[in-house]
Amino acid sequence: MTDAEQRTPQARTSIWSRLLPEPGPGRLLVLCTAVASLGNGLYMTGGAVYFVRVVGLSPGQVGIGLSVAGVIALLLGVPVGYLADRFGPRGTTAVLALCKAAMLISAVFVQSFAAYMVMAALLGAAEQTGHVARGALVSGVMGREGRVKLSAYMRSVFNGGFAIASLAAGIVIAVDSPDVYLSLFWGNAAAMVAVSALYMRLPHVPRQPRQPRVKGGPSAMRDVPYIVVAQVSGLARIGPTVLALGLPLWLVTHTDAPRAMAAWLMLINTLMVVFLQVYVARDADTVSGASRLQRWTFMVLAVACAVAGFSGGIPGWAAAAVLAVATVLFTLGEIWGEAARWGLRYELAPENAQGQYGGVFATGDALAVIAGPALVTTVPDRFGLAGWLALAALFMVSLAAAGPAVRWAVRTRVPAAEQSNLQGAAPTTAPRK
């Protein structure tokens, strides 16, 4: 056998190792993510078009439904996280997947704005609270050593699957037939039923018994340092909103770059996430490593905003090049920011309350979900370069707050032995009063 023949299997193994974890529960969780991403990509790309073209809603009404869904999901995150701890994350995650399937089926019968609002709110709540429960499931199945790395695998696969499904949905949009549009809903519903069944094949994660209310016991809603870390970390998610929404609109309305460049920018983003997310997350499984990645996140996002602002008023080829550089920087901020969030979300939470703490951490997305779209579209559009520099300043303020917030949270964690004495339960890490 030649050297080239010997190297080929190793090369293939290296490629697959970047996309898939070792065989076992982790790979099954990645399979769940892959199936869900295909369904989500089909629905998210074609669903909005269906409600506008077939049902007759306005784009603004569709947007309102998505915003309301985001707010409701934020409010339900902590209760659902508590349920995941109390009744077990595996069953909770599987039930929420079935709830999402039911809402997708109900979407087939939507004929009015009122019905759409109810469906969108419940669907969004099932989708987003499912992420909270799944986070607790990942922690329970993979343990402290593997949960951050597996989260990176899952995100890498999700982006790849979502991109493929979006391309398929483009074909459906081109056909522009009501019956074909409805296939997107049925397909996504079937995918979520399959995902629910796959979740139940994972190892059982014991539920956490109800703990007595004692001084020093863990309570996510009273853990102010943890909440502050969540809010600061959530500001990094404005970066992906800039890339997905603000940058394409800026390209079309304020630069001479080719309009088709918007699609290529998203392709750059998708490929970078798919192939770099796992590699970047390797140092995020400790608080210090995650905190360092978070600082890099805010710095690179600030630079990306400044770079994007200089794409206006220059020749089209130069604007395209500048926007490509900005996209690379925004994407680095995205993959660093997500890795940092996983590390901080898991490592600063008690092991016996990962669900409810995950729900609290999700509240940090509030600004990005509620105000992010308006912020990243209105400010650059109205103020040009000054608007981009204002967004950069927001990220620099976040950078200044990130380190102190994490250090405060670390100082207020109760050592495992002390927490065990307080509760008479399994050793864990909890906030110090």
Side-chain angles (χ1 to χ4, degrees):
M1 180 180 293
T2 65
D3 291 341
E5 291 173 330
Q6 291 177 339
R7 285 196 299 268
T8 299
Q10 296 176 352
R12 291 173 180 168
T13 300
S14 178
I15 292 173
W16 282 110
S17 67
R18 295 188 180 188
L19 300 177
L20 295 174
E22 295 295 324
R27 183 167 290 189
L28 184 55
L29 275 165
V30 168
L31 176 60
C32 293
T33 302
V35 175
S37 70
L38 293 172
N40 283 358
L42 290 171
Y43 171 75
M44 292 299 293
T45 304
V49 178
Y50 166 81
F51 288 118
V52 172
R53 295 276 298 164
V54 179
V55 178
L57 304 181
S58 70
Q61 288 176 320
V62 173
I64 290 172
L66 295 176
S67 297
V68 170
V71 173
I72 292 176
L74 289 173
L75 295 175
L76 292 178
V78 176
V80 169
Y82 174 80
L83 291 176
D85 291 332
R86 188 72 181 87
F87 298 102
R90 186 183 67 173
T92 304
T93 307
V95 167
L96 289 170
L98 291 178
C99 290
K100 183 181 175 183
M103 290 304 102
L104 287 163
I105 294 172
S106 72
V108 173
F109 305 100
V110 168
Q111 296 296 325
S112 66
F113 177 57
Y116 167 74
M117 284 291 293
V118 174
M119 183 280 300
L122 294 177
L123 177 61
E127 169 75 12
Q128 297 303 319
T129 56
H131 294 327
V132 173
R134 190 183 64 183
L137 177 61
V138 169
S139 181
V141 170
M142 301 305 297
R144 186 172 184 178
E145 296 77 13
R147 57 196 179 191
V148 171
K149 187 174 183 179
L150 183 70
S151 297
Y153 276 117
M154 292 167 67
R155 186 166 188 271
S156 176
V157 168
F158 183 89
N159 274 261
F162 191 94
I164 293 171
S166 297
L167 293 175
I171 299 174
V172 173
I173 294 172
V175 174
D176 200 30
S177 165
D179 290 336
V180 178
Y181 277 122
L182 291 178
S183 69
L184 302 179
F185 298 92
W186 291 111
N188 197 1
M192 296 316 299
V193 172
V195 166
S196 179
L198 289 172
Y199 280 138
M200 295 308 295
R201 294 184 60 187
L202 290 165
H204 173 67
V205 179
R207 65 179 187 174
Q208 297 296 333
R210 184 189 298 272
Q211 298 291 345
R213 294 274 184 179
V214 295
K215 185 177 180 180
S219 175
M221 294 301 295
R222 296 197 302 269
D223 192 348
V224 176
Y226 188 86
I227 295 173
V228 171
V229 171
Q231 305 310 306
V232 174
S233 297
L235 294 174
R237 285 200 161 172
I238 297 177
T241 305
V242 175
L243 183 57
L245 187 59
L247 207 62
L249 291 176
W250 172 263
L251 182 152
V252 172
T253 59
H254 291 275
T255 78
D256 293 324
R259 292 190 175 187
M261 184 73 182
W264 289 100
L265 295 181
M266 293 312 300
L267 178 62
I268 293 172
N269 169 263
T270 299
L271 292 176
M272 287 183 65
V273 172
V274 168
F275 289 103
L276 293 180
Q277 185 68 78
V278 175
Y279 176 78
V280 166
R282 70 193 191 283
D283 294 327
D285 55 356
T286 63
V287 172
S288 60
S291 181
R292 181 172 60 254
L293 284 181
Q294 187 173 79
R295 294 195 297 272
W296 292 356
T297 296
F298 289 126
M299 284 190 288
V300 77
L301 289 177
V303 173
C305 288
V307 170
F310 285 102
S311 62
I314 60 177
W317 65 267
V322 170
L323 290 172
V325 172
T327 297
V328 171
L329 295 173
F330 275 119
T331 304
L332 286 174
E334 179 182 346
I335 58 181
W336 283 339
E338 289 302 303
R341 284 174 59 84
W342 297 325
L344 296 174
R345 172 252 185 274
Y346 285 126
E347 291 299 314
L348 293 174
E351 293 300 325
N352 67 340
Q354 286 288 336
Q356 60 172 300
Y357 269 75
V360 166
F361 204 87
T363 65
D365 295 345
L367 182 61
V369 169
I370 298 171
L375 184 67
V376 305
T377 54
T378 304
V379 174
D381 179 64
R382 179 167 296 185
F383 301 105
L385 175 59
W388 282 108
L389 294 179
L391 291 179
L394 172 63
F395 290 125
M396 291 305 295
V397 171
S398 304
L399 171 64
V406 172
R407 289 193 291 272
W408 183 25
V410 170
R411 288 197 305 270
T412 55
R413 300 305 93 182
V414 174
E418 182 178 338
Q419 178 61 23
S420 179
N421 292 334
L422 281 169
Q423 293 187 340
T428 184
T429 302
R432 184 188 297 276
K433 297 297 180 183

